[in-house]
C-alpha cells in the first residue's frame, strides 16, 4: 500500500497532464534561433571564379575573374523574385586575337525558398568589354545561396553567355562563368 501511494505521489498532479482538447500544441521550429529563412531585402557582395570563352576562328581562352554584385529580392513564401546587377573583371587572352577585360550583367532572379537555402534561375542582359570593342548579349544560369545567419550569405552560380559580332569585328563568342559568392544583407 505504501509503495502504491509513493508511486502516485511521484507521478505528478492532474494539472501537469496533457493540454485540454481545445488547446493547440506548440509547433517545433525547423530553423535555428535568429535564422528565419526570409529572403526579402537588399544585399551586396563579392564573387570570384572562372571564365571560359569560346570564340569564332579559334579565339578561345579562359582565366580567373573577380567582381561585385548588388540586388534586391522579395520572398513571397516559397517563391522568391529579385533583380541584381553585377560586374566581373578578368584578363582572358583569346589566342592573341583579343582580350576580354570585363563582363557586366543586369539580372532577373526567380527561385524557390527551401528555408535557409535559396535555389534560383537567372537570366538577363550582359555587356562584354574587349580589346575589339564592347558588345551586348544575353545570358541564363542557375545558382543557390545559403543563409549563414540573418546578415551573411554564401553561394555559387553558373552562367552561360552569348555575344554576337563583338565590336563590329564579326567575332562571336560564348562564355561560361562559375563563381563563388559572398553577400551581406542590409
Amino acid at each position: 500500500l505504501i509503495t502504491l501511494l509513493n508511486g502516485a505521489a511521484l507521478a505528478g498532479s492532474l494539472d501537469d497532464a496533457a493540454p485540454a482538447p481545445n488547446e493547440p500544441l506548440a509547433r517545433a521550429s525547423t530553423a535555428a534561433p535568429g535564422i528565419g529563412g526570409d529572403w526579402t531585402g537588399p544585399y551586396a557582395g563579392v564573387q570570384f571564379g572562372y571564365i571560359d570563352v569560346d570564340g569564332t576562328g579559334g579565339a578561345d581562352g579562359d582565366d580567373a575573374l573577380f567582381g561585385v554584385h548588388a540586388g534586391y529580392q522579395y520572398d513571397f513564401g516559397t517563391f522568391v523574385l529579385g533583380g541584381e546587377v553585377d560586374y566581373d573583371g578578368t584578363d582572358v587572352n583569346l589566342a592573341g586575337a583579343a582580350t576580354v577585360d570585363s563582363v557586366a550583367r543586369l539580372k532577373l532572379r526567380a527561385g524557390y525558398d527551401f528555408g535557409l537555402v535559396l535555389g534560383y534561375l537567372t537570366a538577363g542582359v550582359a555587356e562584354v568589354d574587349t580589346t575589339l570593342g564592347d558588345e551586348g548579349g544575353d545570358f541564363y544560369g542557375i545558382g543557390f545561396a545559403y543563409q549563414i545567419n540573418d546578415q551573411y550569405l554564401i553561394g555559387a552560380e553558373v552562367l552561360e553567355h552569348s555575344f554576337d559580332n563583338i565590336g563590329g569585328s564579326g567575332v562571336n563568342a560564348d562564355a561560361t562563368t562559375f563563381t563563388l559568392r559572398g553577400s551581406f544583407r542590409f
Side-chain angles (χ1 to χ4, degrees):
L1 182 61
I2 292 175
T3 304
L4 289 174
L5 290 176
N6 278 341
L10 294 175
S13 69
L14 291 176
D15 292 337
D16 294 337
N22 292 335
E23 193 175 316
L25 295 172
R27 227 176 146 175
S29 173
T30 57
I35 303 175
D38 181 16
W39 295 91
T40 298
Y43 62 92
V46 296
Q47 69 247 7
F48 68 94
Y50 173 79
I51 182 170
D52 182 24
V53 180
D54 294 320
T56 56
D60 302 337
D62 55 61
D63 205 345
L65 59 81
F66 55 92
V68 295
H69 60 268
Y72 184 89
Q73 54 199 10
Y74 189 83
D75 191 338
F76 291 94
T78 57
F79 178 70
V80 178
L81 184 65
E84 182 180 293
V85 294
D86 77 13
Y87 176 86
D88 288 321
T90 188
D91 189 23
V92 180
N93 182 349
L94 300 178
T99 302
V100 176
D101 298 321
S102 65
V103 180
R105 298 173 202 85
L106 180 59
K107 300 178 178 179
L108 178 63
R109 292 176 22 152
Y112 187 83
D113 179 354
F114 292 98
L116 298 180
V117 175
L118 173 67
Y120 61 88
L121 300 174
T122 184
V125 294
E127 182 165 327
V128 64
D129 179 26
T130 73
T131 54
L132 296 174
D134 298 343
E135 192 61 48
D138 54 24
F139 73 90
Y140 62 91
I142 189 168
F144 81 93
Y146 173 75
Q147 287 187 15
I148 295 173
N149 59 35
D150 285 339
Q151 288 186 316
Y152 297 102
L153 309 172
I154 58 172
E157 196 171 73
V158 176
L159 303 176
E160 291 289 331
H161 305 74
S162 179
F163 302 101
D164 295 329
N165 195 21
I166 298 174
S169 66
V171 173
N172 300 331
D174 294 326
T176 303
T177 60
F178 172 75
T179 55
L180 299 175
R181 300 161 50 97
S183 304
F184 177 80
R185 295 176 63 190
F186 301 98

